[in-house]
């Protein structure tokens, strides 16, 4: 037969039980806080975790407001005694309504206790109401961000007097620290997402400006040379299709597109009589025309694009066997961007109308790049171009 428990034993057992409940609440809070997406959900979860096992009669989270009354706004609450908070007005200022543990916890940044609400002078305005809802003791814990700023108070009530001993208090301090940590995480994440959205917006603006300036440069050239009007646009659209077929990443493809849109920019320095001359060019004229990649490079080099735009423009007439111009580069010396623009340039030129001949069509253009690969053109680019046109039905726009 078990011995009857002494009063001390009973007290000890009760304390142990409360500590277990508090520990269980901390664990439940940890499990739930991972899934919370915003601050309100975090406050709700904290209050529910503390009261769900019935260990505490009421938990609420208050936010200190900077209004005329220095009010404490109840943002979340849970427990069997939530009716206590209905229309309640609490302050965190040094006044009668700021005398409760909750108001003092915000003011001082320290944990505050009321072991006997029934006889606690600070509870005078709410004492009758507290007793009516069976609330006998209260602990209020400041909730801080990592910089130490008190941004909320967690207030917890028990229906027995002096329920918050040293053990509970230290466990609850940990609980309030975890709540502060959760808040900080949400705020840091929100600040990061805001910064990211702003960066994306700025990037889009810069890309828009780059695009606009590139279009203007392309249009300036095409005004002087009506036969190549739209040539750069069409080369750009085929270059992008080839790059996508080859699996080039979208950011790099954007740089390639801009380079293709201005690849013949240097022709702005070539006399228009040469550009529109219907017959064969003499040696001097041909030399002038061959200057256009270098002229384009010199114009674009100072712009500081985030991609190798100027380099692709410089190299778009280079050929793998060194037979191209202006530098006679070979193999890997020629960038992928320049190889793609080189192939797209030939396909567009052969298939379109030129001052010196009629349009020859896409079949003829494909036969031409096949003839030039692999000695002059990158066979991978040529194969991708063929797939784009034959299998995917690529068509140049108007
Ligand atoms: Fe060119
Ligand atoms: Fe071209």
């Amino acid at each position: 037969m078990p011995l009857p428990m002494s009063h001390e034993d009973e007290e000890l057992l009760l304390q142990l039980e409360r500590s277990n409940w508090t520990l269980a609440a901390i664990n439940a809070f940890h499990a739930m806080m991972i899934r919370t997406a915003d601050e309100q959900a975090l406050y709700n979860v904290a209050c529910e975790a503390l009261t769900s096992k019935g260990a505490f009669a009421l938990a609420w989270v208050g936010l200190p407001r900077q209004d005329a009354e220095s009010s404490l706004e109840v943002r979340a609450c849970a427990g069997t005694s939530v009716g206590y908070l209905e229309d309640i007005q609490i302050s965190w200022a040094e006044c009668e309504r700021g005398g409760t543990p909750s108001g003092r916890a915000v003011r001082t940044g320290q944990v505050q206790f009321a072991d006997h609400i029934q006889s606690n002078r600070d509870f005078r305005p709410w004492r009758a109401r507290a007793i009516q809802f069976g609330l006998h003791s209260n602990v209020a814990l400041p909730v801080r961000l990592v910089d130490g700023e008190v941004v909320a108070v967690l207030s917890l009530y028990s229906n027995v007097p002096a329920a918050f001993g040293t053990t509970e208090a230290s466990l609850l301090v940990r609980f309030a620290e975890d709540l502060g940590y959760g808040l900080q995480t949400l705020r840091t994440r929100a600040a990061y997402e805001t910064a990211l959205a702003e960066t994306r917006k700025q990037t889009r603006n810069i890309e828009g400006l780059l695009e606009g300036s590139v279009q203007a440069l392309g249009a300036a050239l095409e005004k002087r040379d009506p036969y190549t009007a739209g040539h750069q646009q069409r080369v750009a659209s085929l270059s992008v299709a080839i790059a996508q077929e080859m699996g080039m990443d979208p950011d790099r493809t954007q740089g390639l597109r801009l380079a293709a849109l201005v690849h013949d920019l240097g022709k702005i320095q070539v006399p228009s009589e040469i550009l529109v001359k219907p017959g064969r060019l003499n040696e001097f004229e041909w030399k002038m025309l061959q200057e256009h990649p270098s002229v384009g490079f010199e114009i674009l080099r100072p712009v500081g694009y985030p991609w190798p735009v100027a380099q692709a423009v410089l190299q778009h007439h280079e050929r793998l066997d060194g037979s191209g111009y202006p530098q006679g580069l070979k193999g890997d010396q020629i960038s992928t961007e320049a190889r793609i623009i080189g192939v797209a340039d030939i396909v567009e030129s052969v298939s379109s109308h030129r001052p010196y001949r009629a349009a020859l069509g896409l079949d003829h253009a494909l036969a031409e790049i096949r003839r030039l690969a692999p000695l002059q053109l990158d066979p991978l680019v040529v194969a991708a171009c063929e797939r784009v046109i034959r299998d995917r039905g690529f068509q140049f726009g108007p």
Side-chain angles (χ1 to χ4, degrees):
M1 195 175 148
L3 287 170
M5 278 202 286
S6 68
H7 178 68
E8 286 77 24
D9 286 347
E10 269 180 27
E11 192 58 36
L12 205 64
L13 198 66
L14 208 64
Q15 268 180 24
L16 203 64
E17 224 166 8
R18 276 202 297 266
S19 299
N20 279 340
W21 282 334
T22 313
L23 265 176
I26 290 177
N27 287 336
F29 180 52
H30 282 169
M32 290 192 276
M33 74 186 276
I34 296 167
R35 293 192 293 273
T36 56
D38 57 56
E39 293 187 15
Q40 185 59 54
L42 192 67
Y43 300 140
N44 293 343
V45 156
C47 295
E48 276 158 25
L50 286 166
T51 54
S52 62
K53 301 267 187 242
F56 303 110
L58 172 64
W60 60 274
V61 172
L63 302 194
R65 293 292 172 218
Q66 303 292 340
D67 51 15
E69 291 80 33
S70 298
S71 55
L72 253 181
E73 180 197 350
V74 178
R75 279 297 290 270
C77 58
T80 51
S81 303
V82 285
Y84 167 72
L85 295 169
E86 204 173 307
D87 298 328
I88 202 163
Q89 294 198 341
I90 314 166
S91 168
W92 58 276
E94 202 143 2
C95 63
E96 193 189 20
R97 293 195 171 274
T100 58
S102 303
R104 283 203 313 272
V106 172
R107 270 203 312 280
T108 62
Q110 304 290 323
V111 184
Q112 302 290 326
F113 298 91
D115 282 342
H116 300 275
I117 290 178
Q118 205 154 13
S119 56
N120 189 304
R121 290 184 57 228
D122 296 333
F123 260 94
R124 260 178 317 193
W126 306 280
R127 187 182 295 152
R129 187 204 282 242
I131 303 304
Q132 181 198 338
F133 283 96
L135 305 177
H136 289 273
S137 53
N138 173 213
V139 60
L141 304 119
V143 178
R144 300 168 186 280
L145 297 181
V146 284
D147 64 0
E149 184 195 355
V150 177
V151 288
V153 61
L154 175 63
S155 202
L156 197 58
Y157 296 74
S158 170
N159 46 20
V160 294
F164 305 102
T166 322
T167 318
E168 282 81 45
S170 63
L171 287 173
L172 287 168
V173 164
R174 218 186 102 197
F175 190 102
E177 282 170 2
D178 290 345
L179 178 55
Y181 173 75
L183 267 181
Q184 182 71 64
T185 306
L186 286 175
R187 287 186 186 187
T188 306
R189 194 191 301 159
Y192 169 74
E193 277 164 8
T194 306
L196 197 66
E198 186 55 35
T199 307
R200 285 203 184 113
K201 197 172 129 201
Q202 281 176 4
T203 306
R204 275 199 301 276
N205 285 346
I206 291 168
E207 282 177 359
L209 284 173
L210 281 178
E211 174 94 24
S213 61
V214 162
Q215 297 276 11
L217 287 172
L221 170 67
E222 288 173 0
K223 270 208 161 52
R224 298 184 62 236
D225 180 10
Y227 286 104
T228 60
H231 164 70
Q232 297 183 112
Q233 294 272 0
R234 291 193 293 271
V235 169
S237 69
L238 179 55
S239 297
V240 168
I242 294 171
Q244 286 169 342
E245 178 68 21
M246 292 175 72
M248 184 181 273
D249 80 70
D251 181 64
R252 192 173 171 189
T253 305
Q254 171 68 353
L256 165 71
R257 198 174 84 81
L258 293 185
L261 279 171
V262 286
H263 72 274
D264 280 334
L265 177 63
K267 286 186 179 173
I268 211 148
Q269 202 168 283
V270 179
S272 49
E273 305 84 76
I274 296 177
L275 294 178
V276 299
K277 184 173 175 179
R280 281 181 70 86
L281 301 180
N282 65 37
E283 199 181 330
F284 172 74
E285 291 165 339
W286 181 234
K287 277 220 143 16
M288 284 207 80
L289 188 66
Q290 284 187 324
E291 292 284 311
H292 80 269
S294 311
V295 173
F297 175 74
E298 290 305 328
I299 296 171
L300 295 167
R301 191 168 52 165
V303 179
Y305 293 107
W307 307 280
V309 171
Q311 184 203 43
V313 168
L314 177 65
Q315 297 179 353
H316 78 275
H317 284 288
E318 299 289 357
R319 299 293 175 249
L320 294 182
D321 59 2
S323 63
Y325 59 89
Q327 295 170 288
L329 300 179
K330 282 186 175 178
D332 288 347
Q333 293 175 310
I334 308 165
S335 72
T336 305
E337 284 85 345
R339 294 172 192 212
I340 292 174
I341 294 173
V343 168
D345 192 29
I346 295 172
V347 171
E348 202 287 327
S349 302
V350 172
S351 63
S352 304
H353 178 76
R354 278 289 174 275
Y356 41 87
R357 58 152 175 77
L360 296 173
L362 277 173
D363 284 341
H364 200 95
L366 288 181
E368 178 65 4
I369 55 168
R370 233 179 286 130
R371 185 180 72 78
L372 294 171
L375 284 182
Q376 296 192 21
L377 303 176
D378 185 334
L380 290 176
V381 176
V382 170
C385 181
E386 283 204 73
R387 289 199 300 276
V388 161
I389 291 170
R390 289 231 183 282
D391 304 343
R392 309 208 184 282
F394 176 88
Q395 291 281 335
F396 287 116

